[in-house]
C-alpha cells in the first residue's frame, strides 16, 4: 500500500488489512519530503514505534543535491526509535538489496520468522548506524 | 577584521570565478615563483606546438606571471595566496599593442586551520582555486600543476544546504547601498523540460526577516537558516501554490556575493570578501577529505 501522507482516509478502515510495517520515504533532494514525513508521523499510533516503523532515505548517491541536513535525519531516527536505511533508487543493485532488506523486516514484523521479534530492531539497527 | 590592503585583493571583485578544490601541493616553494612561471610558459608553448592551440588565427604571445599575494589569507597559519596570470600580446605589433589579461587563477586558503593540522613541510596547503578565463587555459594550467606538484583539482559543487546557508548569511550582512534584490533560483526536478523558478525579494524585507530569526548577532545556527528559508518558501506557496522546498536551490544572489551550485562565485563587496572566501575554503576542504 502506497500513500503520500498520513492519516489514511478513514472511509476504508474496515477494508484495510493489518499493517505490519510502515516505511517513511525521505528524498534527500527534497526538503518538502522531510517536512511531509514529520507531519505524517504525528498521526501514527504510538504502538507502531515498537519496531514497525522504518525510515528510508533515497537519493543519497548525489551529495551535490543534498537539501536535508544529515543531523536532522539521524535525530528523526533517534526520536522515533526507528532504524534509518539509505538507498539510491537509481542504482539497480542497491535498489534490489534494499527491497530485500525491507522484505525481510516485513517478514519479521508480521511474525513469520520464529524467534525474532520486531522489538529487537531498535538495538540491532542502532549498532550498524553507529559504525 | 582585516589588515588586508583592499587594492591587492580588488582583482577578485565583480568577476565570475569558477571554483575548484585542490589537494596539497608537493614541494611547492614561494622562492621559485619566477621559475614556475618560466616552466609553465614553456609547457603552454609546447602544448600549442602539439596542436592543442587555444587561439586559432591570430598568433598570440602568452606571458605567464606567478605571484604571491600575502594579504590574501585568513590567519597567520594560512599560506599566502598564489596568483597565476596569463597575458597575451599580439605578435603582429608587439611594441604598440598592450598586454591583455586573458586568464587568472588564484590558489588560496582563508582560515583553513583544520587542513594544516597534520603539517608536513613538504606540502603547501592552498585548497581553494578560483579561475577566471577560458576553460582551455584552465585545463593546460591545471595539467601542469598536477604533473609538477602531484596535486588533484576537482570542480567544487555547492549543494542546496550550503547555498541556503549563504543566502541567510549574506542577507544578514549590512550593506551601504542595497540596490540589488536577494534572488534565489530553483531548478524544478522530474519534468521533461528544464524549468527554473526565480524568486526575488526586496533586500530590506529579506534583512528584516533574517533579523527576526537570528538570535545572536555574529552567530548563525542551522535551525535559524531553516526557519528563514521556510518563511520564504511559505510566502511563495501562499501566493503561487508551488512548494519550493521540493525543488533544488541552484543559485543565490545578494548584494554581498552570488553563488551557483555548479561552483561559480561572484564577489561584490570587498568588506565581506574574507568572509566569503573563508566559507568557500571550508567547502573546498570538506570536498577534499
Amino acid at each position: 500500500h502506497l500513500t503520500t501522507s498520513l492519516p489514511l482516509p478513514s472511509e476504508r478502515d474496515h477494508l484495510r488489512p493489518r499493517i505490519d510495517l510502515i516505511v517513511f520515504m525521505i528524498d534527500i533532494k527534497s526538503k518538502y519530503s522531510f517536512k511531509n514525513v514529520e507531519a505524517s508521523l504525528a498521526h501514527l499510533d504510538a504502538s507502531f514505534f515498537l519496531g514497525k516503523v522504518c525510515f528510508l532515505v533515497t537519493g543519497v548517491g548525489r551529495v551535490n543535491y543534498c537539501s536535508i541536513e544529515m543531523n536532522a535525519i539521524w535525530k528523526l531516527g533517534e526520536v522515533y526509535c526507528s532504524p534509518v536505511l539509505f538507498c539510491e533508487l537509481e542504482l539497480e543493485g542497491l535498489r534490489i538489496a534494499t527491497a530485500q532488506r525491507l522484505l525481510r523486516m516485513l517478514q519479521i514484523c508480521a511474525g513469520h520468522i520464529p524467534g525474532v521479534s520486531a522489538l529487537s530492531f531498535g538495538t540491532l539497527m542502532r549498532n550498524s548506524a553507529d559504525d | 577584521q582585516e589588515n588586508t590592503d583592499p587594492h591587492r585583493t580588488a582583482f577578485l571583485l565583480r568577476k565570475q570565478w569558477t571554483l575548484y578544490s585542490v589537494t596539497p601541493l608537493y614541494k611547492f616553494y614561494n622562492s621559485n615563483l619566477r621559475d614556475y612561471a618560466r616552466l609553465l610558459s614553456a609547457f603552454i608553448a609546447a602544448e600549442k606546438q602539439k596542436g592543442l592551440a587555444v587561439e586559432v588565427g591570430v598568433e598570440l604571445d602568452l606571458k605567464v606571471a606567478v605571484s604571491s599575494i600575502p594579504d590574501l589569507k585568513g590567519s597567520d597559519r594560512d599560506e599566502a595566496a598564489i596568483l597565476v596570470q596569463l597575458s597575451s600580446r599580439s605578435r603582429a605589433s608587439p611594441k604598440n599593442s598592450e598586454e591583455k589579461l586573458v586568464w587568472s587563477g588564484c590558489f588560496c586558503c582563508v582560515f583553513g586551520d583544520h587542513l594544516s593540522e597534520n603539517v608536513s613541510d613538504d606540502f603547501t596547503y592552498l585548497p581553494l582555486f578560483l579561475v577566471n578565463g577560458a576553460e582551455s587555459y584552465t585545463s593546460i594550467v591545471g595539467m601542469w600543476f598536477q604533473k609538477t606538484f602531484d596535486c588533484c583539482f576537482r570542480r567544487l559543487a555547492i549543494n542546496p544546504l550550503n547555498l541556503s546557508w549563504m543566502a541567510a548569511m549574506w542577507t544578514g550582512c549590512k550593506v551601504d547601498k542595497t540596490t540589488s534584490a536577494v534572488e534565489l533560483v530553483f531548478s524544478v526536478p522530474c519534468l521533461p523540460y528544464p524549468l527554473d523558478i526565480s524568486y526575488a525579494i526586496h533586500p530590506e524585507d529579506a534583512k528584516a526577516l533574517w533579523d527576526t530569526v537570528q538570535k545572536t548577532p555574529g552567530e548563525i545556527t542551522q535551525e535559524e537558516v531553516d526557519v528563514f528559508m521556510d518563511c520564504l518558501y511559505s510566502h511563495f506557496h501562499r501566493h503561487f501554490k508551488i512548494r519550493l522546498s521540493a525543488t533544488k536551490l541552484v543559485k543565490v544572489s545578494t548584494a554581498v556575493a552570488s553563488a551557483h551550485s555548479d561552483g561559480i562565485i561572484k564577489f561584490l563587496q570587498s568588506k565581506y570578501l574574507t568572509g566569503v572566501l573563508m566559507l568557500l575554503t571550508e567547502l573546498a576542504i570538506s570536498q577534499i577529505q
Side-chain angles (χ1 to χ4, degrees):
Chain A
H1 189 98
L2 213 55
T3 184
T4 53
S5 70
L6 294 180
L8 296 174
S10 53
E11 306 90 62
R12 298 185 56 82
D13 263 344
H14 57 291
L15 295 170
R16 211 168 281 127
R18 184 191 72 208
I19 293 177
D20 292 313
L21 174 67
I22 302 183
V23 180
F24 287 95
M25 294 181 65
I26 299 172
D27 180 0
I28 207 147
K29 307 192 291 290
S30 163
K31 185 84 191 278
Y32 172 64
S33 69
F34 183 79
K35 293 266 166 191
N36 194 18
V37 162
E38 271 188 321
S40 298
L41 281 163
H43 294 282
L44 202 54
D45 187 70
S47 61
F48 276 100
F49 295 108
L50 296 168
K52 300 202 177 203
V53 167
C54 115
F55 297 103
L56 178 63
V57 182
T58 64
V60 295
R62 313 269 222 100
V63 183
N64 298 335
Y65 283 68
C66 198
S67 287
I68 306 173
E69 233 223 335
M70 279 316 298
N71 281 340
I73 294 179
W74 291 127
K75 198 155 165 235
L76 199 67
E78 263 176 45
V79 165
Y80 289 98
C81 306
S82 300
V84 181
L85 300 181
F86 295 91
C87 172
E88 176 53 80
L89 292 176
E90 293 177 32
L91 296 175
E92 192 182 338
L94 199 49
R95 196 171 66 227
I96 293 173
T98 306
Q100 286 171 336
R101 224 174 151 189
L102 287 173
L103 209 51
R104 194 71 179 150
M105 284 175 70
L106 180 57
Q107 285 176 316
I108 295 172
C109 289
H112 291 185
I113 312 286
V116 187
S117 127
L119 291 168
S120 42
F121 279 146
T123 41
L124 289 175
M125 290 300 204
R126 200 163 29 240
N127 287 335
S128 68
D130 281 334
D131 282 343
Chain B
Q1 186 195 352
E2 299 139 42
N3 304 317
T4 328
D5 175 6
H7 294 295
R8 298 226 57 195
T9 54
F11 73 94
L12 285 169
L13 297 175
R14 285 175 289 278
K15 271 215 243 337
Q16 186 165 285
W17 297 93
T18 305
L19 303 169
Y20 292 81
S21 65
V22 191
T23 56
L25 305 170
Y26 183 64
K27 292 213 159 89
F28 175 95
Y29 302 115
N30 270 324
S31 48
N32 297 348
L33 297 185
R34 282 249 177 89
D35 292 334
Y36 296 151
R38 237 188 342 101
L39 291 168
L40 178 54
S41 182
F43 182 76
I44 295 175
E47 291 294 304
K48 262 168 95 173
Q49 289 274 331
K50 273 198 245 171
L52 296 163
V54 282
E55 297 277 350
V56 184
V58 178
E59 265 304 295
L60 291 172
D61 264 340
L62 266 182
K63 193 181 107 168
V64 179
V66 181
S67 56
S68 162
I69 309 180
D71 284 340
L72 191 52
K73 55 153 86 172
S75 69
D76 285 328
R77 287 170 60 189
D78 288 331
E79 292 279 346
I82 301 291
L83 178 63
V84 179
Q85 289 172 304
L86 302 184
S87 317
S88 72
R89 193 203 309 266
S90 166
R91 206 177 277 179
S93 48
K95 295 295 177 213
N96 302 335
S97 66
E98 284 183 7
E99 264 179 25
K100 195 180 94 165
L101 180 63
V102 294
W103 186 95
S104 306
C106 181
F107 294 88
C108 65
C109 182
V110 180
F111 293 108
D113 293 18
H114 359 278
L115 239 200
S116 51
E117 252 156 40
N118 307 318
V119 162
S120 161
D121 283 339
D122 286 336
F123 285 98
T124 304
Y125 299 84
L126 291 164
L128 184 64
F129 185 54
L130 304 116
V131 171
N132 175 274
E135 163 66 32
S136 46
Y137 289 124
T138 307
S139 79
I140 293 184
V141 174
M143 230 192 295
W144 184 81
F145 270 89
Q146 286 183 148
K147 261 178 13 122
T148 315
F149 305 108
D150 200 23
C151 60
C152 182
F153 291 83
R154 260 180 70 198
R155 275 295 287 264
L156 183 65
I158 309 177
N159 68 28
L161 269 179
N162 291 319
L163 284 174
S164 305
W165 199 274
M166 289 174 190
M169 216 188 315
W170 298 342
T171 297
C173 292
K174 256 190 294 247
V175 185
D176 297 327
K177 298 174 282 170
T178 37
T179 45
S180 41
V182 172
E183 194 195 346
L184 306 173
V185 180
F186 300 84
S187 161
V188 185
C190 309
L191 289 178
Y193 46 88
L195 176 66
D196 279 352
I197 298 176
S198 165
Y199 183 8
I201 308 144
H202 193 283
E204 276 164 28
D205 291 344
K207 182 150 194 330
L209 174 62
W210 176 246
D211 286 341
T212 64
V213 173
Q214 187 182 28
K215 295 187 201 80
T216 323
E219 262 178 48
I220 304 181
T221 65
Q222 179 65 50
E223 207 186 317
E224 287 166 354
V225 174
D226 287 343
V227 169
F228 177 69
M229 297 303 290
D230 283 342
C231 286
L232 296 178
Y233 293 157
S234 307
H235 182 84
F236 198 85
H237 182 252
R238 216 174 304 132
H239 288 269
F240 302 104
K241 298 284 174 276
I242 294 177
R243 294 200 185 276
L244 291 174
S245 55
T247 65
K248 182 190 175 201
L249 178 58
V250 294
K251 184 171 180 200
V252 171
S253 289
T254 67
V256 169
S258 76
H260 189 283
S261 66
D262 286 342
I264 299 173
I265 197 106
K266 212 169 182 181
F267 307 98
L268 299 165
Q269 294 272 328
S270 63
K271 185 174 167 195
Y272 295 106
L273 187 57
T274 306
V276 178
L277 283 170
M278 172 167 80
L279 181 56
L280 296 175
T281 302
E282 202 176 316
L283 291 181
I285 292 175
S286 53
Q287 182 167 282
I288 294 171
Q289 286 170 341

